[in-house]
Amino acid sequence: MKAGIIGATGYGGLELIRFLHQHPEVSSLQLFSSSEAGESFSAKYGHLQGIQDAPMEAIDEATIASLDVVFASTPAGVTSKLFPSLVDKGAKLIDLSGDFRLQNRAAYEQWYGKGAAPQDVLQKSVYGLTEWHADAVKDAALVANPGCYPTAVLLSLLPLIKHKLIDPSFLVIDAKSGVSGAGNKPSQGTHYSETNENFSIYKVNKHQHIPEIEQAISMFAGADVAITFNTHLVPMTRGILATSYAQVQPGVTQAQLVACLQETYAQHKFVRVVTDVNAIGTNRVKGSNYCDVFVQLDERTGRATIVGVIDNLVKGAAGQAIQNMNVQCGLDESTGLDVVPLFI
Amino acid sequence: MKAGIIGATGYGGLELIRFLHQHPEVSSLQLFSSSEAGESFSAKYGHLQGIQDAPMEAIDEATIASLDVVFASTPAGVTSKLFPSLVDKGAKLIDLSGDFRLQNRAAYEQWYGKGAAPQDVLQKSVYGLTEWHADAVKDAALVANPGCYPTAVLLSLLPLIKHKLIDPSFLVIDAKSGVSGAGNKPSQGTHYSETNENFSIYKVNKHQHIPEIEQAISMFAGADVAITFNTHLVPMTRGILATSYAQVQPGVTQAQLVACLQETYAQHKFVRVVTDVNAIGTNRVKGSNYCDVFVQLDERTGRATIVGVIDNLVKGAAGQAIQNMNVQCGLDESTGLDVVPLFI
Amino acid sequence: MKAGIIGATGYGGLELIRFLHQHPEVSSLQLFSSSEAGESFSAKYGHLQGIQDAPMEAIDEATIASLDVVFASTPAGVTSKLFPSLVDKGAKLIDLSGDFRLQNRAAYEQWYGKGAAPQDVLQKSVYGLTEWHADAVKDAALVANPGCYPTAVLLSLLPLIKHKLIDPSFLVIDAKSGVSGAGNKPSQGTHYSETNENFSIYKVNKHQHIPEIEQAISMFAGADVAITFNTHLVPMTRGILATSYAQVQPGVTQAQLVACLQETYAQHKFVRVVTDVNAIGTNRVKGSNYCDVFVQLDERTGRATIVGVIDNLVKGAAGQAIQNMNVQCGLDESTGLDVVPLFI
Amino acid sequence: MKAGIIGATGYGGLELIRFLHQHPEVSSLQLFSSSEAGESFSAKYGHLQGIQDAPMEAIDEATIASLDVVFASTPAGVTSKLFPSLVDKGAKLIDLSGDFRLQNRAAYEQWYGKGAAPQDVLQKSVYGLTEWHADAVKDAALVANPGCYPTAVLLSLLPLIKHKLIDPSFLVIDAKSGVSGAGNKPSQGTHYSETNENFSIYKVNKHQHIPEIEQAISMFAGADVAITFNTHLVPMTRGILATSYAQVQPGVTQAQLVACLQETYAQHKFVRVVTDVNAIGTNRVKGSNYCDVFVQLDERTGRATIVGVIDNLVKGAAGQAIQNMNVQCGLDESTGLDVVPLFI
């Protein structure tokens, strides 16, 4: 298979390169850039010396359409314009930006502050939370790869909501992310001396992943759900841990909660149900495509603590994108992704 | 004033030394240890070479009683036995452990798994959340210095509860702490290679600070309140940030929430009401006795996000203890504590 | 191939598991432990849930001999006793400890403070600095895998010494390592709160890697060389960067120094000669088997700065061990090791 | 005393504010900025809310001259133009930039790439390595505050050079710094995700502190000395540790080396001679004005390892500047600087 990446210079792009390089079914990889075409990739990213030295290419529709699969790891607002003319032209498309995740165009425009993708293309796109939508992904010409926070949140919450074990009406989701989620562009908020040894909260009640999470939860809850969702910056590079809180439905037990998660993911190797709280942490999934989930009922209050943990750059971005590619292309979903977490 | 510290070798003890050393009214400082008497303190802690070289002394009641003020920075279960015979014997007592924080002895024994302090001594002790109980602290022979998490949580929540702006019946508190809160004893859970680059959750629904927070909130709510409270470990050394979530009472506005905090703390320099979310973070209080508080109403859901930030070793331990000492001894509460946060 | 690891619970062992799991020629992996036999591996290391769940086995000579290849990742003093009876019994042996690295038994006993391995077994063992000794490794029954520091130092220095471009008589090597080099056992020196934000020097002039480096350099210098070598602890988990200083021989130019490195490693993909100083750093090799080398002549002083960078757990331990296994077993040296550095 | 800071928005400026705020003899503090006059300081740096809220002022010569003491914490090339007209106009001047450190104007222009300060003003300026030049500082109108690296290097090396215990002809200095030394301006090289978990070397043989160190060493060596000096970036915020290597003169013993350091600094409280290698590390001086020095002779090679450790922002910048101010103003040198290191 011939693969391409548009916008490879971001961290999502770097992780796509890392995994595609060792993917047994990918024989060639081309990198496209609007602003840096012609530059050697390893001159910019020295860790790829001897691995990815070739220069980036200009974005050319015909070239892109001739590939088997194309990933876009671009800022919001790019693929909504770039992808419509490429859909069904040959290459399978996988978009890592938020442009095709929200079916509600007004919601996109409100939360992203940009024009939404065309309605007809949106309707063709499939939300690629792989474990939940593999059947649709299989036939999709365009996959909207989920956001990093929504991946950790939805994989841990959806089973409990679908099976009506928790009450979705007062759902508090407190999420924490490593700094790589902010991308590769320097700013005061990611300047080492001011980020190191600092735990902070950001975008209070304003994160653009809120409507994405609500869209998926509402679908399974069977009603419109408004969540409380906040995000924090952790002084580390990789990893997301999302802690959610909800009242359980009357009579629900800890055993039922755990069983629900275990049954849901029995056939899905990348989601692991962890029952030892000491084994829940971002370093347990670091560098890998795993999502670890955990649930604990507090008998005193009747509320459950539900945790989802991922590497934001892998299961939360590049890894899940390749998992979707595998499904789109009829491969085993774990092809090329079967790596062991680094832990340390 | 002559001061003493029992259990000075812990991190709370180190911070007491740091601040007492520069306290203008403290003329001498003696360190007591049951297990390490006779050892030079700076041989153990090299950063104190030339500053605190004198050997530690054995714990002797007469010597301790002869001091003006004595801090205990000992594990749970020590001062409940050591302090009763010292109360009203001369030295003002300030306990940094949890032994005198809970008026309900059964709750202490349930959450701490140890025998509670005697009822009569408990009744004499005063809970030293300084900004809220300065009048009682002033006359106290024994101050129970608040826990680190409760300090961050209560300073941010109590004004809103007292003034009935938020509903205490579904209160979710998601707290995060740097690793110094785990103390100075090495363990797998604080081993650098497994702690670095790892964000984790611990003691789910089981933290011993839960009854301490509930005791204070219930008092101001006028009813027994059961909270949801969870704690996370952040890969950094100092700092606590607690994010709380509650439904606001009907009609309450963002302006009212902020005004409530500002009015409550107008005369309390160590609690700062921050209105710029970009200025909320643990490095803004690092090394100092400040507690920064922040509130944001989400109009979409009618829920408020309330944040409290402290340096767990200062406002959450040694700093607040000295603030209490100042009040007990009739000094300005900021004496010796007026240091600027390090930020970087 | 059937592989086994003795002492798999250390960090070297974890990395062996990580790479052997994805090695295309390794069909089974057994873990042996003297003290933890019978325990599930993933119960101890949660990141391996679903990956390496099987219990560890007791150390049994017959079982071990029946394997194709056996790695020992044990403390000093273990394999000197365990391996002699296993040599030439079937399984290829690769020792990650220092027990077979020094041909001079007296030197071993002086620097390690333990009894040396038997002389006859030492003579059979091959020092597995793969790029320099592949021919000998090919036929070896027992490979002494190099130490982490020596790997970074020797790969950067040996070409320049062999080709007499630098003067080995006043060689200063200033090395820095991440904390994972200290292993997985908690201690005050690796306690997070005292290790984080601390850069320190340790084992001044006493590191047991000194004789290992001197043995290799002396061989290529053609004379006994005494080096100055010091080690520092960097507040990060992975990575070694060694900075060496030497006078260049009269007339030697920067171009000659670079060319010497480039020619030496032209056919060795895992050693990369980097010419852009901004691309020299431990994150450029993180998680991978690369060693990056760099040299810069200071015209003012006639001295060269020579840098070697590795991931101490990969090229400095498990990666190089598998590289040696590949050579011993007639595979391409990069089989199963062809992973891209994480960078972030 | 009325104090002022020009260029207060850098990290050196922040530390000046931190210490001047608690200096007992400083009654007022004015901040000057060319580009940000009129802006509230705490709006930019939230950790100073309630502490330093006043707006910055434009740079006005008359206002500045009317103060008792003025610090400049500006980029290279600013004070060489700003200070000449202010010398002897009233305010004592302390320059934290490199503009007045090199008496050799050609060397300044070569290493800094900017025009040097006027010769006559240079001659009036005093190099403020306080422990070595207090007599000259006392009468100085203009103090050139030493660079961060030179402070750590010179305080550890000068005693041994002055007393001819080490040979200055082959001096290798390998220095390591936390990231705060790079200042507060975001760049790719200080972007958190690429700086964290990365140890790197930079400015190989090109650091502008080389001539500053050589100037001081040459003076005490009695001959022109060319050093080898390299700098590394450590993934931590504060701290410098410099490791120097030199041959000792024949017959010199470890005891003599230690005694030389101890005698030199017997009356200087801010330089501590540490004899326990386990107590040498940047966290032992963090946040304080101490410089810890250590020496170890390697009997095998006849070479000494000499270590100097400072907090780059305190003893390496703001702390030493205030120490100089104290001396210039006839105060005890430790006034306002007598703070205990944070350690954790």
Side-chain angles (χ1 to χ4, degrees), chain B residues 340, chain D residues 5 8-10 12-23 29 31 41 45 47-48 51-52 318 322:
Chain B
V340 176
Chain D
I5 303 172
T9 59
L14 291 185
E15 286 292 276
L16 285 168
I17 292 171
R18 184 163 77 91
F19 282 102
L20 291 173
H21 178 79
Q22 61 183 49
H23 195 290
L29 176 60
L31 309 183
F41 202 79
Y45 283 118
H47 70 288
L48 294 171
I51 298 167
Q52 187 74 37
I322 293 172

PDB file of all heavy atoms in Angstrom, chain B residues 340, chain D residues 5 8-10 12-23 29 31 41 45 47-48 51-52 318 322:
ATOM      1  N   VAL B 340       7.613  35.770  48.243  1.00  0.00           N
ATOM      2  CA  VAL B 340       7.056  35.829  46.890  1.00  0.00           C
ATOM      3  C   VAL B 340       7.124  34.422  46.272  1.00  0.00           C
ATOM      4  O   VAL B 340       8.127  33.736  46.423  1.00  0.00           O
ATOM      5  CB  VAL B 340       7.887  36.830  46.054  1.00  0.00           C
ATOM      6  CG1 VAL B 340       7.408  36.864  44.616  1.00  0.00           C
ATOM      7  CG2 VAL B 340       7.835  38.217  46.699  1.00  0.00           C
TER       8      VAL B 340
ATOM      9  N   ILE D   5      14.483  48.507  38.656  1.00  0.00           N
ATOM     10  CA  ILE D   5      14.938  47.449  37.764  1.00  0.00           C
ATOM     11  C   ILE D   5      14.587  47.834  36.329  1.00  0.00           C
ATOM     12  O   ILE D   5      13.432  48.148  36.037  1.00  0.00           O
ATOM     13  CB  ILE D   5      14.256  46.092  38.084  1.00  0.00           C
ATOM     14  CG1 ILE D   5      14.490  45.690  39.537  1.00  0.00           C
ATOM     15  CG2 ILE D   5      14.771  45.004  37.135  1.00  0.00           C
ATOM     16  CD1 ILE D   5      13.678  44.456  39.960  1.00  0.00           C
ATOM     17  N   ALA D   8      12.663  44.278  33.812  1.00  0.00           N
ATOM     18  CA  ALA D   8      12.234  43.394  34.897  1.00  0.00           C
ATOM     19  C   ALA D   8      11.455  42.180  34.428  1.00  0.00           C
ATOM     20  O   ALA D   8      11.216  41.260  35.201  1.00  0.00           O
ATOM     21  CB  ALA D   8      11.369  44.186  35.884  1.00  0.00           C
ATOM     22  N   THR D   9      11.065  42.166  33.164  1.00  0.00           N
ATOM     23  CA  THR D   9      10.175  41.083  32.735  1.00  0.00           C
ATOM     24  C   THR D   9      10.902  39.767  32.444  1.00  0.00           C
ATOM     25  O   THR D   9      10.266  38.753  32.221  1.00  0.00           O
ATOM     26  CB  THR D   9       9.366  41.492  31.482  1.00  0.00           C
ATOM     27  OG1 THR D   9      10.300  41.804  30.458  1.00  0.00           O
ATOM     28  CG2 THR D   9       8.480  42.675  31.766  1.00  0.00           C
ATOM     29  N   GLY D  10      12.222  39.783  32.428  1.00  0.00           N
ATOM     30  CA  GLY D  10      12.947  38.523  32.267  1.00  0.00           C
ATOM     31  C   GLY D  10      13.025  37.767  33.580  1.00  0.00           C
ATOM     32  O   GLY D  10      12.600  38.260  34.632  1.00  0.00           O
ATOM     33  N   GLY D  12      15.660  36.951  35.307  1.00  0.00           N
ATOM     34  CA  GLY D  12      16.537  37.620  36.266  1.00  0.00           C
ATOM     35  C   GLY D  12      15.774  38.718  36.989  1.00  0.00           C
ATOM     36  O   GLY D  12      15.904  38.892  38.205  1.00  0.00           O
ATOM     37  N   GLY D  13      14.952  39.438  36.231  1.00  0.00           N
ATOM     38  CA  GLY D  13      14.130  40.495  36.828  1.00  0.00           C
ATOM     39  C   GLY D  13      13.155  39.950  37.852  1.00  0.00           C
ATOM     40  O   GLY D  13      12.973  40.521  38.928  1.00  0.00           O
ATOM     41  N   LEU D  14      12.528  38.831  37.528  1.00  0.00           N
ATOM     42  CA  LEU D  14      11.561  38.240  38.468  1.00  0.00           C
ATOM     43  C   LEU D  14      12.235  37.868  39.788  1.00  0.00           C
ATOM     44  O   LEU D  14      11.665  38.037  40.862  1.00  0.00           O
ATOM     45  CB  LEU D  14      10.923  36.988  37.860  1.00  0.00           C
ATOM     46  CG  LEU D  14       9.979  37.194  36.683  1.00  0.00           C
ATOM     47  CD1 LEU D  14       9.350  35.860  36.294  1.00  0.00           C
ATOM     48  CD2 LEU D  14       8.891  38.208  37.013  1.00  0.00           C
ATOM     49  N   GLU D  15      13.458  37.366  39.687  1.00  0.00           N
ATOM     50  CA  GLU D  15      14.155  36.985  40.917  1.00  0.00           C
ATOM     51  C   GLU D  15      14.611  38.212  41.692  1.00  0.00           C
ATOM     52  O   GLU D  15      14.619  38.204  42.934  1.00  0.00           O
ATOM     53  CB  GLU D  15      15.351  36.092  40.587  1.00  0.00           C
ATOM     54  CG  GLU D  15      14.947  34.691  40.192  1.00  0.00           C
ATOM     55  CD  GLU D  15      14.354  33.893  41.345  1.00  0.00           C
ATOM     56  OE1 GLU D  15      15.122  33.307  42.128  1.00  0.00           O
ATOM     57  OE2 GLU D  15      13.108  33.865  41.444  1.00  0.00           O
ATOM     58  N   LEU D  16      14.980  39.267  40.995  1.00  0.00           N
ATOM     59  CA  LEU D  16      15.292  40.521  41.697  1.00  0.00           C
ATOM     60  C   LEU D  16      14.073  40.982  42.484  1.00  0.00           C
ATOM     61  O   LEU D  16      14.172  41.369  43.655  1.00  0.00           O
ATOM     62  CB  LEU D  16      15.726  41.598  40.689  1.00  0.00           C
ATOM     63  CG  LEU D  16      17.135  41.446  40.111  1.00  0.00           C
ATOM     64  CD1 LEU D  16      17.331  42.380  38.923  1.00  0.00           C
ATOM     65  CD2 LEU D  16      18.204  41.734  41.182  1.00  0.00           C
ATOM     66  N   ILE D  17      12.912  40.944  41.847  1.00  0.00           N
ATOM     67  CA  ILE D  17      11.675  41.348  42.531  1.00  0.00           C
ATOM     68  C   ILE D  17      11.444  40.458  43.748  1.00  0.00           C
ATOM     69  O   ILE D  17      11.114  40.929  44.835  1.00  0.00           O
ATOM     70  CB  ILE D  17      10.477  41.250  41.559  1.00  0.00           C
ATOM     71  CG1 ILE D  17      10.608  42.305  40.452  1.00  0.00           C
ATOM     72  CG2 ILE D  17       9.152  41.411  42.317  1.00  0.00           C
ATOM     73  CD1 ILE D  17       9.593  42.147  39.328  1.00  0.00           C
ATOM     74  N   ARG D  18      11.623  39.154  43.563  1.00  0.00           N
ATOM     75  CA  ARG D  18      11.390  38.225  44.678  1.00  0.00           C
ATOM     76  C   ARG D  18      12.254  38.584  45.889  1.00  0.00           C
ATOM     77  O   ARG D  18      11.765  38.633  47.022  1.00  0.00           O
ATOM     78  CB  ARG D  18      11.680  36.789  44.216  1.00  0.00           C
ATOM     79  CG  ARG D  18      11.392  35.738  45.263  1.00  0.00           C
ATOM     80  CD  ARG D  18      11.290  34.347  44.677  1.00  0.00           C
ATOM     81  NE  ARG D  18      12.557  33.738  44.343  1.00  0.00           N
ATOM     82  CZ  ARG D  18      13.283  32.968  45.170  1.00  0.00           C
ATOM     83  NH1 ARG D  18      12.848  32.736  46.407  1.00  0.00           N
ATOM     84  NH2 ARG D  18      14.421  32.436  44.777  1.00  0.00           N
ATOM     85  N   PHE D  19      13.516  38.867  45.663  1.00  0.00           N
ATOM     86  CA  PHE D  19      14.399  39.144  46.791  1.00  0.00           C
ATOM     87  C   PHE D  19      14.293  40.584  47.302  1.00  0.00           C
ATOM     88  O   PHE D  19      14.380  40.830  48.503  1.00  0.00           O
ATOM     89  CB  PHE D  19      15.851  38.814  46.433  1.00  0.00           C
ATOM     90  CG  PHE D  19      16.138  37.351  46.492  1.00  0.00           C
ATOM     91  CD1 PHE D  19      16.213  36.590  45.339  1.00  0.00           C
ATOM     92  CD2 PHE D  19      16.312  36.721  47.717  1.00  0.00           C
ATOM     93  CE1 PHE D  19      16.470  35.222  45.398  1.00  0.00           C
ATOM     94  CE2 PHE D  19      16.570  35.358  47.787  1.00  0.00           C
ATOM     95  CZ  PHE D  19      16.640  34.606  46.630  1.00  0.00           C
ATOM     96  N   LEU D  20      14.109  41.526  46.385  1.00  0.00           N
ATOM     97  CA  LEU D  20      14.020  42.929  46.840  1.00  0.00           C
ATOM     98  C   LEU D  20      12.747  43.154  47.643  1.00  0.00           C
ATOM     99  O   LEU D  20      12.731  43.964  48.571  1.00  0.00           O
ATOM    100  CB  LEU D  20      14.083  43.878  45.629  1.00  0.00           C
ATOM    101  CG  LEU D  20      15.451  43.910  44.929  1.00  0.00           C
ATOM    102  CD1 LEU D  20      15.382  44.746  43.650  1.00  0.00           C
ATOM    103  CD2 LEU D  20      16.549  44.439  45.859  1.00  0.00           C
ATOM    104  N   HIS D  21      11.708  42.411  47.290  1.00  0.00           N
ATOM    105  CA  HIS D  21      10.452  42.527  48.018  1.00  0.00           C
ATOM    106  C   HIS D  21      10.628  42.220  49.504  1.00  0.00           C
ATOM    107  O   HIS D  21       9.944  42.790  50.351  1.00  0.00           O
ATOM    108  CB  HIS D  21       9.420  41.576  47.409  1.00  0.00           C
ATOM    109  CG  HIS D  21       8.111  41.559  48.101  1.00  0.00           C
ATOM    110  ND1 HIS D  21       7.154  42.529  47.910  1.00  0.00           N
ATOM    111  CD2 HIS D  21       7.583  40.711  49.009  1.00  0.00           C
ATOM    112  CE1 HIS D  21       6.093  42.266  48.658  1.00  0.00           C
ATOM    113  NE2 HIS D  21       6.336  41.162  49.332  1.00  0.00           N
ATOM    114  N   GLN D  22      11.539  41.312  49.819  1.00  0.00           N
ATOM    115  CA  GLN D  22      11.712  40.974  51.237  1.00  0.00           C
ATOM    116  C   GLN D  22      13.022  41.522  51.807  1.00  0.00           C
ATOM    117  O   GLN D  22      13.464  41.116  52.876  1.00  0.00           O
ATOM    118  CB  GLN D  22      11.623  39.454  51.437  1.00  0.00           C
ATOM    119  CG  GLN D  22      12.677  38.648  50.709  1.00  0.00           C
ATOM    120  CD  GLN D  22      12.481  37.142  50.908  1.00  0.00           C
ATOM    121  OE1 GLN D  22      11.377  36.606  50.743  1.00  0.00           O
ATOM    122  NE2 GLN D  22      13.528  36.451  51.302  1.00  0.00           N
ATOM    123  N   HIS D  23      13.629  42.459  51.089  1.00  0.00           N
ATOM    124  CA  HIS D  23      14.876  43.063  51.569  1.00  0.00           C
ATOM    125  C   HIS D  23      14.529  44.143  52.600  1.00  0.00           C
ATOM    126  O   HIS D  23      13.800  45.075  52.293  1.00  0.00           O
ATOM    127  CB  HIS D  23      15.639  43.668  50.390  1.00  0.00           C
ATOM    128  CG  HIS D  23      17.063  43.995  50.706  1.00  0.00           C
ATOM    129  ND1 HIS D  23      17.417  45.022  51.548  1.00  0.00           N
ATOM    130  CD2 HIS D  23      18.234  43.416  50.327  1.00  0.00           C
ATOM    131  CE1 HIS D  23      18.744  45.077  51.641  1.00  0.00           C
ATOM    132  NE2 HIS D  23      19.261  44.098  50.920  1.00  0.00           N
ATOM    133  N   LEU D  29      10.295  49.968  45.118  1.00  0.00           N
ATOM    134  CA  LEU D  29      10.832  49.276  43.945  1.00  0.00           C
ATOM    135  C   LEU D  29      10.071  49.738  42.713  1.00  0.00           C
ATOM    136  O   LEU D  29       8.849  49.610  42.641  1.00  0.00           O
ATOM    137  CB  LEU D  29      10.678  47.759  44.128  1.00  0.00           C
ATOM    138  CG  LEU D  29      11.110  46.877  42.951  1.00  0.00           C
ATOM    139  CD1 LEU D  29      12.585  47.071  42.622  1.00  0.00           C
ATOM    140  CD2 LEU D  29      10.841  45.412  43.285  1.00  0.00           C
ATOM    141  N   LEU D  31       9.774  49.543  38.449  1.00  0.00           N
ATOM    142  CA  LEU D  31      10.154  48.716  37.306  1.00  0.00           C
ATOM    143  C   LEU D  31      10.083  49.536  36.033  1.00  0.00           C
ATOM    144  O   LEU D  31       9.095  50.237  35.791  1.00  0.00           O
ATOM    145  CB  LEU D  31       9.217  47.510  37.201  1.00  0.00           C
ATOM    146  CG  LEU D  31       9.025  46.694  38.480  1.00  0.00           C
ATOM    147  CD1 LEU D  31       8.134  45.489  38.220  1.00  0.00           C
ATOM    148  CD2 LEU D  31      10.349  46.256  39.071  1.00  0.00           C
ATOM    149  N   PHE D  41       2.265  44.981  36.061  1.00  0.00           N
ATOM    150  CA  PHE D  41       3.232  43.878  36.073  1.00  0.00           C
ATOM    151  C   PHE D  41       2.555  42.559  36.410  1.00  0.00           C
ATOM    152  O   PHE D  41       2.845  41.527  35.816  1.00  0.00           O
ATOM    153  CB  PHE D  41       4.358  44.174  37.064  1.00  0.00           C
ATOM    154  CG  PHE D  41       5.593  43.386  36.757  1.00  0.00           C
ATOM    155  CD1 PHE D  41       6.450  43.790  35.750  1.00  0.00           C
ATOM    156  CD2 PHE D  41       5.894  42.226  37.450  1.00  0.00           C
ATOM    157  CE1 PHE D  41       7.597  43.046  35.432  1.00  0.00           C
ATOM    158  CE2 PHE D  41       7.034  41.482  37.146  1.00  0.00           C
ATOM    159  CZ  PHE D  41       7.883  41.888  36.132  1.00  0.00           C
ATOM    160  N   TYR D  45       2.528  38.738  34.941  1.00  0.00           N
ATOM    161  CA  TYR D  45       3.017  37.660  35.789  1.00  0.00           C
ATOM    162  C   TYR D  45       2.078  37.475  36.970  1.00  0.00           C
ATOM    163  O   TYR D  45       2.207  38.129  38.010  1.00  0.00           O
ATOM    164  CB  TYR D  45       4.445  37.953  36.257  1.00  0.00           C
ATOM    165  CG  TYR D  45       5.478  37.708  35.189  1.00  0.00           C
ATOM    166  CD1 TYR D  45       6.283  38.732  34.704  1.00  0.00           C
ATOM    167  CD2 TYR D  45       5.662  36.431  34.662  1.00  0.00           C
ATOM    168  CE1 TYR D  45       7.243  38.496  33.718  1.00  0.00           C
ATOM    169  CE2 TYR D  45       6.621  36.182  33.677  1.00  0.00           C
ATOM    170  CZ  TYR D  45       7.395  37.205  33.217  1.00  0.00           C
ATOM    171  OH  TYR D  45       8.338  36.958  32.243  1.00  0.00           O
ATOM    172  N   HIS D  47       1.688  35.405  39.265  1.00  0.00           N
ATOM    173  CA  HIS D  47       2.129  35.012  40.607  1.00  0.00           C
ATOM    174  C   HIS D  47       2.408  36.214  41.486  1.00  0.00           C
ATOM    175  O   HIS D  47       2.556  36.071  42.694  1.00  0.00           O
ATOM    176  CB  HIS D  47       3.369  34.098  40.523  1.00  0.00           C
ATOM    177  CG  HIS D  47       4.615  34.791  40.087  1.00  0.00           C
ATOM    178  ND1 HIS D  47       4.834  35.229  38.803  1.00  0.00           N
ATOM    179  CD2 HIS D  47       5.733  35.129  40.772  1.00  0.00           C
ATOM    180  CE1 HIS D  47       6.031  35.799  38.728  1.00  0.00           C
ATOM    181  NE2 HIS D  47       6.590  35.753  39.905  1.00  0.00           N
ATOM    182  N   LEU D  48       2.472  37.405  40.881  1.00  0.00           N
ATOM    183  CA  LEU D  48       2.739  38.617  41.650  1.00  0.00           C
ATOM    184  C   LEU D  48       1.479  39.411  41.961  1.00  0.00           C
ATOM    185  O   LEU D  48       1.563  40.551  42.438  1.00  0.00           O
ATOM    186  CB  LEU D  48       3.770  39.475  40.900  1.00  0.00           C
ATOM    187  CG  LEU D  48       5.156  38.829  40.791  1.00  0.00           C
ATOM    188  CD1 LEU D  48       6.058  39.615  39.863  1.00  0.00           C
ATOM    189  CD2 LEU D  48       5.802  38.703  42.178  1.00  0.00           C
ATOM    190  N   ILE D  51       1.177  41.644  44.945  1.00  0.00           N
ATOM    191  CA  ILE D  51       2.556  41.858  45.400  1.00  0.00           C
ATOM    192  C   ILE D  51       3.225  42.951  44.589  1.00  0.00           C
ATOM    193  O   ILE D  51       3.872  43.835  45.129  1.00  0.00           O
ATOM    194  CB  ILE D  51       3.362  40.536  45.264  1.00  0.00           C
ATOM    195  CG1 ILE D  51       2.751  39.453  46.160  1.00  0.00           C
ATOM    196  CG2 ILE D  51       4.834  40.762  45.608  1.00  0.00           C
ATOM    197  CD1 ILE D  51       3.250  38.049  45.875  1.00  0.00           C
ATOM    198  N   GLN D  52       3.077  42.873  43.285  1.00  0.00           N
ATOM    199  CA  GLN D  52       3.728  43.844  42.399  1.00  0.00           C
ATOM    200  C   GLN D  52       2.736  44.206  41.302  1.00  0.00           C
ATOM    201  O   GLN D  52       2.873  43.788  40.155  1.00  0.00           O
ATOM    202  CB  GLN D  52       5.016  43.240  41.827  1.00  0.00           C
ATOM    203  CG  GLN D  52       5.883  44.198  41.029  1.00  0.00           C
ATOM    204  CD  GLN D  52       6.633  45.207  41.891  1.00  0.00           C
ATOM    205  OE1 GLN D  52       7.087  44.867  42.980  1.00  0.00           O
ATOM    206  NE2 GLN D  52       6.728  46.441  41.444  1.00  0.00           N
ATOM    207  N   ALA D 318      20.359  37.202  40.105  1.00  0.00           N
ATOM    208  CA  ALA D 318      19.743  38.201  40.983  1.00  0.00           C
ATOM    209  C   ALA D 318      20.322  38.192  42.394  1.00  0.00           C
ATOM    210  O   ALA D 318      20.500  39.257  43.010  1.00  0.00           O
ATOM    211  CB  ALA D 318      18.230  37.966  41.037  1.00  0.00           C
ATOM    212  N   ILE D 322      22.215  41.358  44.244  1.00  0.00           N
ATOM    213  CA  ILE D 322      21.812  42.005  45.496  1.00  0.00           C
ATOM    214  C   ILE D 322      22.946  41.918  46.520  1.00  0.00           C
ATOM    215  O   ILE D 322      23.155  42.852  47.299  1.00  0.00           O
ATOM    216  CB  ILE D 322      20.503  41.361  46.016  1.00  0.00           C
ATOM    217  CG1 ILE D 322      19.367  41.702  45.036  1.00  0.00           C
ATOM    218  CG2 ILE D 322      20.173  41.847  47.423  1.00  0.00           C
ATOM    219  CD1 ILE D 322      18.064  40.988  45.314  1.00  0.00           C
TER     220      ILE D 322
END
